Amino acid sequence: LSRLSYAVPEYRRERVEILVEAAEVGCEGLCLDFCRQPPAVRYHPAFVNPWREESGRDPREVTLSDDRDTFLEWAGYRARAVTSLLEELKAELDPLRDRYLREIPIQVRIPNDGLEANLICGFAVQQWCERELIDEIALSELHWLREYQQWDNEPYLTLAREHGITVFAPNNCLPVQRG
């Protein structure tokens, strides 16, 4: 694999330590750019093996088109790893916010393909908002899933209104994707 997995606690710890160090040296806020290479979670054994033990199914054999409910259950299961990253980061930042008497907002950059597509990508956005794990959302018109071409900012704006989160509209510098 060419990337590390958020399912591995040591990797999450390393990411949190880097972000906390940035906050300690005085950055204005932290942006976690999850649009770099979606999905953020895939089929690492640290996801697959426990889910297979719990559910009795191999997630590599479950598809969105064949078994939507099970696939979305799998997506929610593996999205817990990114949520854990945000929980761990918040737990480390809260004392820094108190010590330095300043906000250190956490911004996530995510595709605006819809909340279900985000979940498939590994992003439980609604849960993040409800649990106050993020302060800002920066939307991107990445359109990485053919099945999800929603391109609608309204679900994110609704979450923002309900939870006091700032949403930045898509502002990609990429050419419009066609086809």
Short mmCIF file of all heavy atoms in Angstrom, two decimals, residues 64 68 72 113-114 116-118 120 143-151:
data_model
loop_
_atom_site.label_atom_id
_atom_site.label_comp_id
_atom_site.label_asym_id
_atom_site.label_seq_id
_atom_site.Cartn_x
_atom_site.Cartn_y
_atom_site.Cartn_z
N LEU A 64 -21.78 -1.59 -3.05
CA LEU A 64 -22.88 -0.65 -2.91
C LEU A 64 -24.06 -1.07 -3.78
O LEU A 64 -25.21 -1.01 -3.35
CB LEU A 64 -22.41 0.76 -3.27
CG LEU A 64 -23.39 1.90 -3.10
CD1 LEU A 64 -23.81 2.04 -1.64
CD2 LEU A 64 -22.77 3.20 -3.60
N ARG A 68 -26.62 -2.49 -0.59
CA ARG A 68 -26.44 -1.11 -0.15
C ARG A 68 -26.37 -0.98 1.37
O ARG A 68 -25.49 -0.31 1.91
CB ARG A 68 -27.57 -0.25 -0.71
CG ARG A 68 -27.53 1.18 -0.31
CD ARG A 68 -28.76 1.92 -0.86
NE ARG A 68 -28.59 3.33 -0.71
CZ ARG A 68 -27.86 4.09 -1.49
NH1 ARG A 68 -27.22 3.57 -2.50
NH2 ARG A 68 -27.75 5.39 -1.27
N LEU A 72 -23.10 0.32 3.40
CA LEU A 72 -23.10 1.55 4.21
C LEU A 72 -22.77 1.25 5.67
O LEU A 72 -22.15 2.08 6.34
CB LEU A 72 -24.44 2.28 4.07
CG LEU A 72 -24.70 2.87 2.69
CD1 LEU A 72 -26.09 3.47 2.62
CD2 LEU A 72 -23.64 3.90 2.31
N ASP A 113 -20.00 15.95 -2.28
CA ASP A 113 -20.80 14.98 -3.02
C ASP A 113 -21.98 14.45 -2.21
O ASP A 113 -22.69 13.57 -2.68
CB ASP A 113 -19.93 13.80 -3.46
CG ASP A 113 -18.86 14.20 -4.46
OD1 ASP A 113 -19.06 15.19 -5.19
OD2 ASP A 113 -17.82 13.53 -4.51
N GLY A 114 -22.17 14.93 -1.00
CA GLY A 114 -23.27 14.49 -0.16
C GLY A 114 -22.77 13.70 1.04
O GLY A 114 -21.68 13.14 1.03
N GLU A 116 -23.75 10.89 2.39
CA GLU A 116 -23.56 9.46 2.20
C GLU A 116 -22.26 9.17 1.46
O GLU A 116 -21.52 8.25 1.83
CB GLU A 116 -24.75 8.86 1.44
CG GLU A 116 -24.74 7.36 1.40
CD GLU A 116 -26.02 6.79 0.84
OE1 GLU A 116 -27.05 6.80 1.57
OE2 GLU A 116 -26.00 6.33 -0.32
N ALA A 117 -21.97 9.94 0.45
CA ALA A 117 -20.69 9.77 -0.26
C ALA A 117 -19.52 10.06 0.67
O ALA A 117 -18.49 9.39 0.61
CB ALA A 117 -20.64 10.68 -1.49
N ASN A 118 -19.68 11.06 1.54
CA ASN A 118 -18.63 11.34 2.53
C ASN A 118 -18.41 10.14 3.44
O ASN A 118 -17.27 9.78 3.75
CB ASN A 118 -18.98 12.55 3.38
CG ASN A 118 -18.99 13.86 2.63
OD1 ASN A 118 -19.79 14.74 2.94
ND2 ASN A 118 -18.15 14.02 1.63
N ILE A 120 -18.90 7.01 2.77
CA ILE A 120 -18.19 5.99 1.99
C ILE A 120 -16.70 6.34 1.92
O ILE A 120 -15.84 5.46 1.94
CB ILE A 120 -18.82 5.86 0.60
CG1 ILE A 120 -20.22 5.24 0.72
CG2 ILE A 120 -17.94 5.04 -0.34
CD1 ILE A 120 -21.05 5.33 -0.54
N HIS A 143 -15.86 15.33 -6.79
CA HIS A 143 -16.65 14.40 -7.61
C HIS A 143 -15.88 13.13 -7.92
O HIS A 143 -15.66 12.78 -9.07
CB HIS A 143 -17.14 15.08 -8.89
CG HIS A 143 -17.71 16.43 -8.64
ND1 HIS A 143 -18.88 16.62 -7.95
CD2 HIS A 143 -17.25 17.65 -8.94
CE1 HIS A 143 -19.13 17.91 -7.86
NE2 HIS A 143 -18.16 18.56 -8.44
N TRP A 144 -15.52 12.42 -6.90
CA TRP A 144 -14.69 11.23 -7.07
C TRP A 144 -15.48 9.94 -7.21
O TRP A 144 -14.93 8.92 -7.61
CB TRP A 144 -13.70 11.12 -5.92
CG TRP A 144 -14.34 10.78 -4.61
CD1 TRP A 144 -15.03 11.63 -3.78
CD2 TRP A 144 -14.38 9.52 -3.99
NE1 TRP A 144 -15.49 10.96 -2.69
CE2 TRP A 144 -15.11 9.66 -2.78
CE3 TRP A 144 -13.87 8.26 -4.31
CZ2 TRP A 144 -15.34 8.61 -1.92
CZ3 TRP A 144 -14.11 7.21 -3.45
CH2 TRP A 144 -14.84 7.39 -2.26
N LEU A 145 -16.76 9.95 -6.89
CA LEU A 145 -17.60 8.76 -7.03
C LEU A 145 -18.64 8.96 -8.13
O LEU A 145 -19.45 9.88 -8.05
CB LEU A 145 -18.35 8.47 -5.72
CG LEU A 145 -17.60 7.75 -4.62
CD1 LEU A 145 -18.46 7.70 -3.36
CD2 LEU A 145 -17.21 6.36 -5.04
N ARG A 146 -18.63 8.11 -9.11
CA ARG A 146 -19.56 8.24 -10.23
C ARG A 146 -21.01 8.15 -9.76
O ARG A 146 -21.88 8.83 -10.28
CB ARG A 146 -19.28 7.15 -11.27
CG ARG A 146 -20.15 7.27 -12.50
CD ARG A 146 -19.82 6.24 -13.56
NE ARG A 146 -18.40 6.27 -13.87
CZ ARG A 146 -17.61 5.19 -13.89
NH1 ARG A 146 -18.10 4.01 -13.62
NH2 ARG A 146 -16.33 5.28 -14.17
N GLU A 147 -21.27 7.31 -8.74
CA GLU A 147 -22.63 7.12 -8.25
C GLU A 147 -23.17 8.35 -7.51
O GLU A 147 -24.36 8.46 -7.28
CB GLU A 147 -22.70 5.91 -7.31
CG GLU A 147 -22.39 4.59 -7.97
CD GLU A 147 -20.89 4.27 -7.95
OE1 GLU A 147 -20.07 5.16 -7.65
OE2 GLU A 147 -20.55 3.12 -8.24
N TYR A 148 -22.29 9.24 -7.10
CA TYR A 148 -22.69 10.41 -6.30
C TYR A 148 -22.22 11.67 -7.00
O TYR A 148 -21.08 12.07 -6.88
CB TYR A 148 -22.08 10.33 -4.89
CG TYR A 148 -22.64 9.19 -4.09
CD1 TYR A 148 -22.07 7.93 -4.14
CD2 TYR A 148 -23.76 9.39 -3.29
CE1 TYR A 148 -22.59 6.88 -3.41
CE2 TYR A 148 -24.28 8.33 -2.55
CZ TYR A 148 -23.69 7.09 -2.62
OH TYR A 148 -24.21 6.06 -1.89
N GLN A 149 -23.13 12.28 -7.68
CA GLN A 149 -22.83 13.53 -8.35
C GLN A 149 -23.80 14.61 -7.85
O GLN A 149 -24.36 15.36 -8.62
CB GLN A 149 -22.93 13.34 -9.88
CG GLN A 149 -21.96 12.30 -10.42
CD GLN A 149 -20.52 12.74 -10.33
OE1 GLN A 149 -20.17 13.85 -10.71
NE2 GLN A 149 -19.65 11.88 -9.81
N GLN A 150 -23.98 14.65 -6.55
CA GLN A 150 -24.96 15.53 -5.94
C GLN A 150 -24.55 17.00 -6.04
O GLN A 150 -25.36 17.85 -6.35
CB GLN A 150 -25.15 15.15 -4.48
CG GLN A 150 -26.26 15.92 -3.80
CD GLN A 150 -26.50 15.39 -2.40
OE1 GLN A 150 -26.05 14.32 -2.02
NE2 GLN A 150 -27.22 16.15 -1.62
N TRP A 151 -23.31 17.30 -5.72
CA TRP A 151 -22.78 18.65 -5.80
C TRP A 151 -23.69 19.67 -5.13
O TRP A 151 -24.01 20.72 -5.69
CB TRP A 151 -22.51 19.06 -7.24
CG TRP A 151 -21.72 18.06 -8.01
CD1 TRP A 151 -20.71 17.28 -7.53
CD2 TRP A 151 -21.86 17.73 -9.38
NE1 TRP A 151 -20.22 16.48 -8.52
CE2 TRP A 151 -20.91 16.74 -9.67
CE3 TRP A 151 -22.71 18.17 -10.40
CZ2 TRP A 151 -20.78 16.19 -10.93
CZ3 TRP A 151 -22.56 17.61 -11.64
CH2 TRP A 151 -21.61 16.64 -11.91
#
